[in-house]
Amino acid sequence: MLKGKKILIGITGSIAAYKIPFIIRLLKKAGAEVQVIMTPMACDFITPLTLSTLSERPVLVDFYDKGDGSWHSHVDLGLWADLYLLAPVTANTMAKMVAGIADNLLLTTVLSARCPLLFAPAMDLDMYQHPTTQNNVKRLMEFGYQLIEPTKGELASGLHGFGRLEEPEVIFQRIVTYLSDNKPLTGKKCLVTAGPTYEPIDPVRFIGNFSSGLMGIEVANALADLGAKVQLVLGPSSLEVSHPDIEVTKVTTSEQMLSACLKYFSSSYITVMAAAVADFKPTIVADKKIRKADKLSTLELEPTTDILTSLGKTKRDNQLLIGFALETNQEEAHAIEKLTAKNLDMIVLNSLNDAGAGFGYSTNKITLLKTVGEKITFPLKSKKEVAVDIVNAILSLKSQPK
Ligand code: CTP
């Protein structure tokens, strides 16, 4: 898979450095050449001996070898690499990268490297959420560096939140996809919806749902990883989208989501509607806050437009349209009904009866139902992995469009 590819791995001083040997093993198994550079602090977390044994190359820490005095050229290293992975990267190193500081070999090589750079932060949740760190992450992305976002979970400090280094298999896959010469969706446009919609009742209240937007965002990431230019129409969500090939249109109401989808649908090869769109909205939106004294006892609602059905009506033969079905009973029967009624090529069914599936979880358990009658059931996985399964199934639906 990676035969002949040259990969530089820069390791900084974070406890997550213990995960890097797994990445090196995966890369070596895939045929890549791996050169490790460490900051001096990183050597306190994992020994250079472990890393040089696995990478089959001496690990570089200093600008020159104190034994024989030989010089380690950051320029040569930068020219040698097909990809530079910084993992784990600390808040300190990111801040130095933004400032252009080059006070160690790892950082100096960042400035010399001509190849793509992927950076995978790992730190405690408050450090990662700090405005300075967040600004630095954004700046690094503006430089064209690709972020491998930390995940949520238990941290070395015992706290719980965002800051865990992404899993070695996922980082490895990102590298494979990035270096792959024939990405199947290169030059294709895709449309994805994600998140809830909010239907206002008055200036301070709305009808909404618990969707976080994560499933749709991961589908957008998986499509973009395969070379697609993705238009993501995102309802109110607190999640960040960092892929350089995803353009985000933020919307609030189902009506806004509908008009954004109508704008992008006709030029889109694959459309995946993962958003949890409200089915009803208040008939009248009060222009002033409704007071307790108003004694409101009922709320008159009217149906929203079914966006997916509208798109299904104008779908051409060279387009693929995929919907979601979140069900609580007679799951499969309801999903199949939607598949036909909405003129879809495939529907992603998740049942709220499955533990760990649906809103609010970072995992999901899906069944894919295709128009051709095929059904594939998957075990519980992270939403990132589920998104890859969905996109792989989409690619198997049809050959490339006319
Ligand atoms: N959908 C949509 N517009 C709506 C409602 C739903 O585009 N106004 C899309 C969703 O994005 C999803 C699919 O339709 O891809 C199915 O949504 P779901 O809520 O499961 O089903 P509904 O069609 O709304 O039917 P019901 O609520 O009766 O199950």
Side-chain angles (χ1 to χ4, degrees):
M1 250 187 301
L2 294 177
K3 205 164 170 40
K5 299 289 183 196
K6 301 184 182 77
I7 295 165
L8 266 183
I9 301 187
I11 306 176
T12 72
S14 153
I15 181 64
Y18 80 89
K19 291 185 178 175
I20 305 310
F22 297 99
I23 301 177
I24 297 175
R25 289 205 67 170
L26 290 166
L27 290 170
K28 292 289 290 179
K29 246 187 172 165
E33 287 180 57
V34 178
Q35 173 64 61
V36 175
I37 309 178
M38 299 172 82
T39 59
M41 181 72 95
C43 303
D44 289 338
F45 289 91
I46 185 161
T47 72
L49 180 61
T50 307
L51 300 162
S52 62
T53 307
L54 292 171
S55 63
E56 298 173 288
R57 280 170 175 268
V59 167
L60 308 178
V61 181
D62 298 312
F63 286 98
Y64 65 96
D65 190 315
K66 285 177 185 136
D68 64 10
S70 62
W71 177 250
H72 302 139
S73 165
H74 55 89
V75 176
D76 289 348
L77 285 166
L79 292 176
W80 173 84
D82 293 311
L83 184 140
Y84 192 1
L85 169 72
L86 289 181
V89 61
T90 56
N92 180 48
T93 291
M94 288 197 290
K96 287 183 181 178
M97 284 162 72
V98 168
I101 292 171
D103 61 357
N104 60 41
L105 185 62
L106 179 148
L107 282 164
T108 313
T109 310
V110 168
L111 293 179
S112 309
R114 288 187 184 172
C115 59
L117 186 148
L118 271 56
F119 66 111
M123 65 199 73
D124 211 42
L125 77 165
D126 296 310
M127 288 180 82
Y128 191 63
Q129 286 314 326
H130 195 284
T132 304
T133 311
Q134 288 298 310
N135 274 340
N136 289 339
V137 168
K138 281 204 184 94
R139 283 296 290 145
L140 293 176
M141 281 162 36
E142 284 164 13
F143 294 170
Y145 300 158
Q146 277 220 22
L147 171 68
I148 302 179
E149 261 181 301
T151 60
K152 198 176 180 179
E154 194 175 344
L155 303 165
S157 60
L159 297 176
H160 199 273
F162 280 100
R164 279 170 68 94
L165 183 72
E166 183 52 281
E167 289 308 317
E169 292 77 13
V170 177
I171 295 180
F172 168 70
Q173 271 312 325
R174 280 286 290 269
I175 294 172
V176 171
T177 313
Y178 201 90
L179 291 176
S180 162
D181 295 327
N182 52 351
K183 294 184 184 176
L185 294 176
T186 301
K188 302 279 188 295
K189 289 186 182 169
C190 295
L191 168 63
V192 178
T193 63
T197 62
Y198 288 176
E199 311 301 328
I201 297 169
D202 68 9
V204 295
R205 303 181 181 93
F206 59 85
I207 295 176
N209 58 67
F210 294 118
S211 167
S212 66
L214 180 61
M215 191 63 253
I217 291 173
E218 292 297 7
V219 169
N221 282 331
L223 290 166
D225 278 347
L226 295 182
K229 290 275 175 224
V230 181
Q231 181 60 234
L232 175 66
V233 179
L234 181 61
S237 164
S238 58
L239 300 177
E240 290 285 329
V241 180
S242 57
H243 203 296
D245 291 322
I246 300 178
E247 193 180 299
V248 183
T249 300
K250 288 200 170 169
V251 296
T252 305
T253 64
S254 58
E255 216 170 295
Q256 291 164 354
M257 189 170 274
L258 171 69
S259 53
C261 288
L262 292 176
K263 183 170 165 195
Y264 297 111
F265 179 64
S266 67
S267 61
S268 161
Y269 167 40
I270 294 168
T271 299
V272 183
M273 303 288 283
V277 188
D279 287 328
F280 297 96
K281 62 179 181 182
T283 312
I284 297 163
V285 180
D287 58 358
K288 294 202 177 54
K289 184 183 165 190
I290 300 169
R291 301 266 154 207
K292 230 182 291 176
D294 296 337
K295 294 204 164 43
L296 183 75
S297 57
T298 55
L299 202 55
E300 197 180 315
L301 302 176
E302 62 183 21
T304 57
T305 305
D306 191 310
I307 306 169
L308 190 50
T309 304
S310 312
L311 301 185
K313 282 183 183 150
T314 63
K315 187 181 74 167
R316 301 184 309 271
D317 281 352
N318 60 359
Q319 290 183 293
L320 293 170
L321 184 57
I322 289 85
F324 272 67
L326 180 59
E327 306 290 344
T328 53
N329 61 308
Q330 294 179 44
E331 291 91 335
E332 222 172 290
H334 284 142
I336 291 171
E337 255 170 47
K338 287 173 191 173
L339 181 70
T340 317
K342 301 191 185 199
N343 190 23
L344 310 181
D345 298 281
M346 186 173 85
I347 195 153
V348 182
L349 164 64
N350 31 55
S351 164
L352 279 189
N353 296 320
D354 288 323
F359 295 161
Y361 294 101
S362 60
T363 51
N364 205 357
K365 184 173 179 339
I366 59 158
T367 298
L368 297 179
L369 298 158
K370 299 182 185 178
T371 317
V372 288
E374 195 184 335
K375 170 182 149 183
I376 320 170
T377 302
F378 295 88
L380 188 76
K381 296 184 179 192
S382 73
K383 285 189 173 165
K384 194 179 275 296
E385 292 169 307
V386 170
V388 172
D389 290 337
I390 293 171
V391 171
N392 285 339
I394 295 172
L395 292 181
S396 73
L397 283 173
K398 262 188 203 172
S399 52
Q400 297 299 297
K402 294 152 210 161

PDB file of all heavy atoms in Angstrom, residues 61-87:
ATOM      1  N   VAL A  61      17.354  13.409  17.229  1.00  0.00           N
ATOM      2  CA  VAL A  61      16.883  14.328  18.263  1.00  0.00           C
ATOM      3  C   VAL A  61      17.626  15.661  18.129  1.00  0.00           C
ATOM      4  O   VAL A  61      17.035  16.733  18.183  1.00  0.00           O
ATOM      5  CB  VAL A  61      17.107  13.740  19.679  1.00  0.00           C
ATOM      6  CG1 VAL A  61      16.581  14.704  20.749  1.00  0.00           C
ATOM      7  CG2 VAL A  61      16.428  12.388  19.818  1.00  0.00           C
ATOM      8  N   ASP A  62      18.923  15.565  17.939  1.00  0.00           N
ATOM      9  CA  ASP A  62      19.759  16.771  17.888  1.00  0.00           C
ATOM     10  C   ASP A  62      20.143  17.100  16.446  1.00  0.00           C
ATOM     11  O   ASP A  62      20.003  16.273  15.549  1.00  0.00           O
ATOM     12  CB  ASP A  62      21.033  16.548  18.700  1.00  0.00           C
ATOM     13  CG  ASP A  62      20.700  16.289  20.163  1.00  0.00           C
ATOM     14  OD1 ASP A  62      19.901  17.069  20.725  1.00  0.00           O
ATOM     15  OD2 ASP A  62      21.208  15.293  20.714  1.00  0.00           O
ATOM     16  N   PHE A  63      20.693  18.300  16.281  1.00  0.00           N
ATOM     17  CA  PHE A  63      21.130  18.717  14.938  1.00  0.00           C
ATOM     18  C   PHE A  63      22.385  17.942  14.497  1.00  0.00           C
ATOM     19  O   PHE A  63      22.637  17.840  13.321  1.00  0.00           O
ATOM     20  CB  PHE A  63      21.427  20.221  14.913  1.00  0.00           C
ATOM     21  CG  PHE A  63      20.170  21.044  14.939  1.00  0.00           C
ATOM     22  CD1 PHE A  63      19.700  21.588  16.124  1.00  0.00           C
ATOM     23  CD2 PHE A  63      19.449  21.269  13.776  1.00  0.00           C
ATOM     24  CE1 PHE A  63      18.540  22.338  16.144  1.00  0.00           C
ATOM     25  CE2 PHE A  63      18.278  22.014  13.781  1.00  0.00           C
ATOM     26  CZ  PHE A  63      17.826  22.555  14.978  1.00  0.00           C
ATOM     27  N   TYR A  64      23.124  17.459  15.479  1.00  0.00           N
ATOM     28  CA  TYR A  64      24.307  16.689  15.110  1.00  0.00           C
ATOM     29  C   TYR A  64      24.491  15.547  16.105  1.00  0.00           C
ATOM     30  O   TYR A  64      23.975  15.593  17.229  1.00  0.00           O
ATOM     31  CB  TYR A  64      25.553  17.576  15.049  1.00  0.00           C
ATOM     32  CG  TYR A  64      25.958  18.156  16.386  1.00  0.00           C
ATOM     33  CD1 TYR A  64      26.928  17.534  17.168  1.00  0.00           C
ATOM     34  CD2 TYR A  64      25.353  19.315  16.854  1.00  0.00           C
ATOM     35  CE1 TYR A  64      27.269  18.062  18.402  1.00  0.00           C
ATOM     36  CE2 TYR A  64      25.691  19.838  18.087  1.00  0.00           C
ATOM     37  CZ  TYR A  64      26.650  19.215  18.857  1.00  0.00           C
ATOM     38  OH  TYR A  64      26.958  19.719  20.078  1.00  0.00           O
ATOM     39  N   ASP A  65      25.205  14.514  15.641  1.00  0.00           N
ATOM     40  CA  ASP A  65      25.465  13.341  16.470  1.00  0.00           C
ATOM     41  C   ASP A  65      26.616  13.651  17.411  1.00  0.00           C
ATOM     42  O   ASP A  65      27.734  13.951  16.961  1.00  0.00           O
ATOM     43  CB  ASP A  65      25.793  12.149  15.552  1.00  0.00           C
ATOM     44  CG  ASP A  65      25.826  10.853  16.323  1.00  0.00           C
ATOM     45  OD1 ASP A  65      26.439  10.842  17.416  1.00  0.00           O
ATOM     46  OD2 ASP A  65      25.242   9.867  15.837  1.00  0.00           O
ATOM     47  N   LYS A  66      26.357  13.586  18.721  1.00  0.00           N
ATOM     48  CA  LYS A  66      27.404  13.949  19.686  1.00  0.00           C
ATOM     49  C   LYS A  66      28.554  12.951  19.656  1.00  0.00           C
ATOM     50  O   LYS A  66      29.657  13.266  20.057  1.00  0.00           O
ATOM     51  CB  LYS A  66      26.815  14.058  21.096  1.00  0.00           C
ATOM     52  CG  LYS A  66      26.023  15.346  21.238  1.00  0.00           C
ATOM     53  CD  LYS A  66      25.340  15.477  22.595  1.00  0.00           C
ATOM     54  CE  LYS A  66      24.485  16.731  22.597  1.00  0.00           C
ATOM     55  NZ  LYS A  66      23.178  16.594  23.171  1.00  0.00           N
ATOM     56  N   GLY A  67      28.287  11.733  19.142  1.00  0.00           N
ATOM     57  CA  GLY A  67      29.340  10.723  19.057  1.00  0.00           C
ATOM     58  C   GLY A  67      30.333  11.055  17.957  1.00  0.00           C
ATOM     59  O   GLY A  67      31.507  11.368  18.224  1.00  0.00           O
ATOM     60  N   ASP A  68      29.842  11.020  16.702  1.00  0.00           N
ATOM     61  CA  ASP A  68      30.791  11.216  15.589  1.00  0.00           C
ATOM     62  C   ASP A  68      30.727  12.626  14.999  1.00  0.00           C
ATOM     63  O   ASP A  68      31.439  12.933  14.037  1.00  0.00           O
ATOM     64  CB  ASP A  68      30.554  10.159  14.495  1.00  0.00           C
ATOM     65  CG  ASP A  68      29.177  10.287  13.848  1.00  0.00           C
ATOM     66  OD1 ASP A  68      28.488  11.306  14.107  1.00  0.00           O
ATOM     67  OD2 ASP A  68      28.788   9.384  13.098  1.00  0.00           O
ATOM     68  N   GLY A  69      29.882  13.464  15.564  1.00  0.00           N
ATOM     69  CA  GLY A  69      29.834  14.855  15.102  1.00  0.00           C
ATOM     70  C   GLY A  69      29.111  15.035  13.784  1.00  0.00           C
ATOM     71  O   GLY A  69      29.058  16.147  13.248  1.00  0.00           O
ATOM     72  N   SER A  70      28.499  13.958  13.246  1.00  0.00           N
ATOM     73  CA  SER A  70      27.848  14.117  11.932  1.00  0.00           C
ATOM     74  C   SER A  70      26.576  14.966  12.044  1.00  0.00           C
ATOM     75  O   SER A  70      25.884  14.952  13.058  1.00  0.00           O
ATOM     76  CB  SER A  70      27.540  12.748  11.322  1.00  0.00           C
ATOM     77  OG  SER A  70      26.651  12.063  12.169  1.00  0.00           O
ATOM     78  N   TRP A  71      26.326  15.699  10.976  1.00  0.00           N
ATOM     79  CA  TRP A  71      25.258  16.708  10.933  1.00  0.00           C
ATOM     80  C   TRP A  71      23.964  16.104  10.407  1.00  0.00           C
ATOM     81  O   TRP A  71      23.967  15.393   9.399  1.00  0.00           O
ATOM     82  CB  TRP A  71      25.734  17.840  10.014  1.00  0.00           C
ATOM     83  CG  TRP A  71      24.709  18.929   9.794  1.00  0.00           C
ATOM     84  CD1 TRP A  71      24.038  19.199   8.650  1.00  0.00           C
ATOM     85  CD2 TRP A  71      24.274  19.898  10.756  1.00  0.00           C
ATOM     86  NE1 TRP A  71      23.195  20.264   8.825  1.00  0.00           N
ATOM     87  CE2 TRP A  71      23.319  20.721  10.126  1.00  0.00           C
ATOM     88  CE3 TRP A  71      24.591  20.146  12.105  1.00  0.00           C
ATOM     89  CZ2 TRP A  71      22.678  21.773  10.764  1.00  0.00           C
ATOM     90  CZ3 TRP A  71      23.942  21.207  12.741  1.00  0.00           C
ATOM     91  CH2 TRP A  71      23.007  22.001  12.071  1.00  0.00           C
ATOM     92  N   HIS A  72      22.843  16.363  11.084  1.00  0.00           N
ATOM     93  CA  HIS A  72      21.536  15.894  10.591  1.00  0.00           C
ATOM     94  C   HIS A  72      20.846  17.066   9.910  1.00  0.00           C
ATOM     95  O   HIS A  72      20.375  17.982  10.572  1.00  0.00           O
ATOM     96  CB  HIS A  72      20.673  15.380  11.748  1.00  0.00           C
ATOM     97  CG  HIS A  72      21.323  14.264  12.505  1.00  0.00           C
ATOM     98  ND1 HIS A  72      21.281  14.163  13.871  1.00  0.00           N
ATOM     99  CD2 HIS A  72      22.049  13.197  12.076  1.00  0.00           C
ATOM    100  CE1 HIS A  72      21.938  13.082  14.256  1.00  0.00           C
ATOM    101  NE2 HIS A  72      22.411  12.493  13.183  1.00  0.00           N
ATOM    102  N   SER A  73      20.823  16.998   8.614  1.00  0.00           N
ATOM    103  CA  SER A  73      20.325  18.153   7.870  1.00  0.00           C
ATOM    104  C   SER A  73      18.807  18.190   7.836  1.00  0.00           C
ATOM    105  O   SER A  73      18.157  17.310   7.267  1.00  0.00           O
ATOM    106  CB  SER A  73      20.869  18.111   6.439  1.00  0.00           C
ATOM    107  OG  SER A  73      20.131  19.008   5.648  1.00  0.00           O
ATOM    108  N   HIS A  74      18.237  19.242   8.422  1.00  0.00           N
ATOM    109  CA  HIS A  74      16.781  19.415   8.384  1.00  0.00           C
ATOM    110  C   HIS A  74      16.313  19.651   6.960  1.00  0.00           C
ATOM    111  O   HIS A  74      15.199  19.279   6.591  1.00  0.00           O
ATOM    112  CB  HIS A  74      16.366  20.582   9.295  1.00  0.00           C
ATOM    113  CG  HIS A  74      17.068  21.854   8.976  1.00  0.00           C
ATOM    114  ND1 HIS A  74      16.585  22.743   8.077  1.00  0.00           N
ATOM    115  CD2 HIS A  74      18.252  22.350   9.423  1.00  0.00           C
ATOM    116  CE1 HIS A  74      17.432  23.767   7.989  1.00  0.00           C
ATOM    117  NE2 HIS A  74      18.453  23.542   8.790  1.00  0.00           N
ATOM    118  N   VAL A  75      17.177  20.236   6.144  1.00  0.00           N
ATOM    119  CA  VAL A  75      16.798  20.499   4.745  1.00  0.00           C
ATOM    120  C   VAL A  75      16.663  19.163   4.006  1.00  0.00           C
ATOM    121  O   VAL A  75      15.670  18.905   3.320  1.00  0.00           O
ATOM    122  CB  VAL A  75      17.834  21.413   4.058  1.00  0.00           C
ATOM    123  CG1 VAL A  75      17.483  21.606   2.581  1.00  0.00           C
ATOM    124  CG2 VAL A  75      17.914  22.747   4.774  1.00  0.00           C
ATOM    125  N   ASP A  76      17.667  18.289   4.177  1.00  0.00           N
ATOM    126  CA  ASP A  76      17.606  16.974   3.521  1.00  0.00           C
ATOM    127  C   ASP A  76      16.391  16.175   3.989  1.00  0.00           C
ATOM    128  O   ASP A  76      15.709  15.539   3.190  1.00  0.00           O
ATOM    129  CB  ASP A  76      18.877  16.159   3.810  1.00  0.00           C
ATOM    130  CG  ASP A  76      20.082  16.743   3.073  1.00  0.00           C
ATOM    131  OD1 ASP A  76      19.852  17.604   2.199  1.00  0.00           O
ATOM    132  OD2 ASP A  76      21.220  16.346   3.395  1.00  0.00           O
ATOM    133  N   LEU A  77      16.145  16.242   5.312  1.00  0.00           N
ATOM    134  CA  LEU A  77      14.990  15.497   5.846  1.00  0.00           C
ATOM    135  C   LEU A  77      13.690  16.014   5.236  1.00  0.00           C
ATOM    136  O   LEU A  77      12.814  15.247   4.843  1.00  0.00           O
ATOM    137  CB  LEU A  77      14.907  15.667   7.372  1.00  0.00           C
ATOM    138  CG  LEU A  77      15.914  14.887   8.199  1.00  0.00           C
ATOM    139  CD1 LEU A  77      15.931  15.406   9.641  1.00  0.00           C
ATOM    140  CD2 LEU A  77      15.560  13.402   8.187  1.00  0.00           C
ATOM    141  N   GLY A  78      13.596  17.326   5.154  1.00  0.00           N
ATOM    142  CA  GLY A  78      12.390  17.961   4.595  1.00  0.00           C
ATOM    143  C   GLY A  78      12.184  17.600   3.136  1.00  0.00           C
ATOM    144  O   GLY A  78      11.055  17.449   2.676  1.00  0.00           O
ATOM    145  N   LEU A  79      13.274  17.445   2.401  1.00  0.00           N
ATOM    146  CA  LEU A  79      13.162  17.105   0.972  1.00  0.00           C
ATOM    147  C   LEU A  79      12.911  15.614   0.775  1.00  0.00           C
ATOM    148  O   LEU A  79      12.270  15.206  -0.185  1.00  0.00           O
ATOM    149  CB  LEU A  79      14.444  17.516   0.223  1.00  0.00           C
ATOM    150  CG  LEU A  79      14.689  19.018   0.118  1.00  0.00           C
ATOM    151  CD1 LEU A  79      16.028  19.293  -0.567  1.00  0.00           C
ATOM    152  CD2 LEU A  79      13.573  19.705  -0.657  1.00  0.00           C
ATOM    153  N   TRP A  80      13.419  14.819   1.712  1.00  0.00           N
ATOM    154  CA  TRP A  80      13.306  13.362   1.621  1.00  0.00           C
ATOM    155  C   TRP A  80      11.867  12.889   1.756  1.00  0.00           C
ATOM    156  O   TRP A  80      11.408  11.995   1.055  1.00  0.00           O
ATOM    157  CB  TRP A  80      14.176  12.744   2.725  1.00  0.00           C
ATOM    158  CG  TRP A  80      14.074  11.260   2.903  1.00  0.00           C
ATOM    159  CD1 TRP A  80      14.734  10.295   2.205  1.00  0.00           C
ATOM    160  CD2 TRP A  80      13.267  10.555   3.880  1.00  0.00           C
ATOM    161  NE1 TRP A  80      14.401   9.051   2.669  1.00  0.00           N
ATOM    162  CE2 TRP A  80      13.499   9.181   3.697  1.00  0.00           C
ATOM    163  CE3 TRP A  80      12.381  10.960   4.883  1.00  0.00           C
ATOM    164  CZ2 TRP A  80      12.865   8.204   4.474  1.00  0.00           C
ATOM    165  CZ3 TRP A  80      11.756   9.995   5.665  1.00  0.00           C
ATOM    166  CH2 TRP A  80      12.011   8.634   5.447  1.00  0.00           C
ATOM    167  N   ALA A  81      11.111  13.540   2.661  1.00  0.00           N
ATOM    168  CA  ALA A  81       9.812  12.984   3.078  1.00  0.00           C
ATOM    169  C   ALA A  81       8.707  13.211   2.049  1.00  0.00           C
ATOM    170  O   ALA A  81       8.637  14.261   1.408  1.00  0.00           O
ATOM    171  CB  ALA A  81       9.400  13.617   4.403  1.00  0.00           C
ATOM    172  N   ASP A  82       7.822  12.191   1.936  1.00  0.00           N
ATOM    173  CA  ASP A  82       6.577  12.359   1.164  1.00  0.00           C
ATOM    174  C   ASP A  82       5.481  12.910   2.063  1.00  0.00           C
ATOM    175  O   ASP A  82       4.486  13.446   1.587  1.00  0.00           O
ATOM    176  CB  ASP A  82       6.098  11.005   0.613  1.00  0.00           C
ATOM    177  CG  ASP A  82       7.048  10.461  -0.436  1.00  0.00           C
ATOM    178  OD1 ASP A  82       7.395  11.246  -1.352  1.00  0.00           O
ATOM    179  OD2 ASP A  82       7.467   9.292  -0.335  1.00  0.00           O
ATOM    180  N   LEU A  83       5.671  12.731   3.356  1.00  0.00           N
ATOM    181  CA  LEU A  83       4.659  13.214   4.314  1.00  0.00           C
ATOM    182  C   LEU A  83       5.316  13.354   5.686  1.00  0.00           C
ATOM    183  O   LEU A  83       6.157  12.536   6.052  1.00  0.00           O
ATOM    184  CB  LEU A  83       3.510  12.198   4.387  1.00  0.00           C
ATOM    185  CG  LEU A  83       2.315  12.565   5.264  1.00  0.00           C
ATOM    186  CD1 LEU A  83       1.018  12.148   4.561  1.00  0.00           C
ATOM    187  CD2 LEU A  83       2.382  11.890   6.619  1.00  0.00           C
ATOM    188  N   TYR A  84       4.947  14.417   6.386  1.00  0.00           N
ATOM    189  CA  TYR A  84       5.480  14.634   7.732  1.00  0.00           C
ATOM    190  C   TYR A  84       4.306  14.538   8.702  1.00  0.00           C
ATOM    191  O   TYR A  84       3.367  15.332   8.623  1.00  0.00           O
ATOM    192  CB  TYR A  84       6.128  16.030   7.794  1.00  0.00           C
ATOM    193  CG  TYR A  84       6.994  16.330   9.013  1.00  0.00           C
ATOM    194  CD1 TYR A  84       7.229  15.403  10.014  1.00  0.00           C
ATOM    195  CD2 TYR A  84       7.599  17.581   9.145  1.00  0.00           C
ATOM    196  CE1 TYR A  84       8.033  15.699  11.107  1.00  0.00           C
ATOM    197  CE2 TYR A  84       8.417  17.896  10.233  1.00  0.00           C
ATOM    198  CZ  TYR A  84       8.623  16.945  11.218  1.00  0.00           C
ATOM    199  OH  TYR A  84       9.412  17.246  12.297  1.00  0.00           O
ATOM    200  N   LEU A  85       4.355  13.534   9.571  1.00  0.00           N
ATOM    201  CA  LEU A  85       3.312  13.375  10.592  1.00  0.00           C
ATOM    202  C   LEU A  85       3.853  13.856  11.927  1.00  0.00           C
ATOM    203  O   LEU A  85       4.884  13.367  12.383  1.00  0.00           O
ATOM    204  CB  LEU A  85       2.927  11.888  10.710  1.00  0.00           C
ATOM    205  CG  LEU A  85       2.048  11.527  11.919  1.00  0.00           C
ATOM    206  CD1 LEU A  85       0.626  12.055  11.739  1.00  0.00           C
ATOM    207  CD2 LEU A  85       2.039  10.026  12.162  1.00  0.00           C
ATOM    208  N   LEU A  86       3.170  14.813  12.520  1.00  0.00           N
ATOM    209  CA  LEU A  86       3.540  15.232  13.876  1.00  0.00           C
ATOM    210  C   LEU A  86       2.542  14.614  14.844  1.00  0.00           C
ATOM    211  O   LEU A  86       1.357  14.978  14.841  1.00  0.00           O
ATOM    212  CB  LEU A  86       3.502  16.752  13.997  1.00  0.00           C
ATOM    213  CG  LEU A  86       4.588  17.523  13.263  1.00  0.00           C
ATOM    214  CD1 LEU A  86       4.439  19.012  13.496  1.00  0.00           C
ATOM    215  CD2 LEU A  86       5.968  17.074  13.718  1.00  0.00           C
ATOM    216  N   ALA A  87       3.005  13.656  15.639  1.00  0.00           N
ATOM    217  CA  ALA A  87       2.082  12.953  16.539  1.00  0.00           C
ATOM    218  C   ALA A  87       2.859  12.319  17.685  1.00  0.00           C
ATOM    219  O   ALA A  87       3.807  11.590  17.414  1.00  0.00           O
ATOM    220  CB  ALA A  87       1.323  11.874  15.776  1.00  0.00           C
TER     221      ALA A  87
END
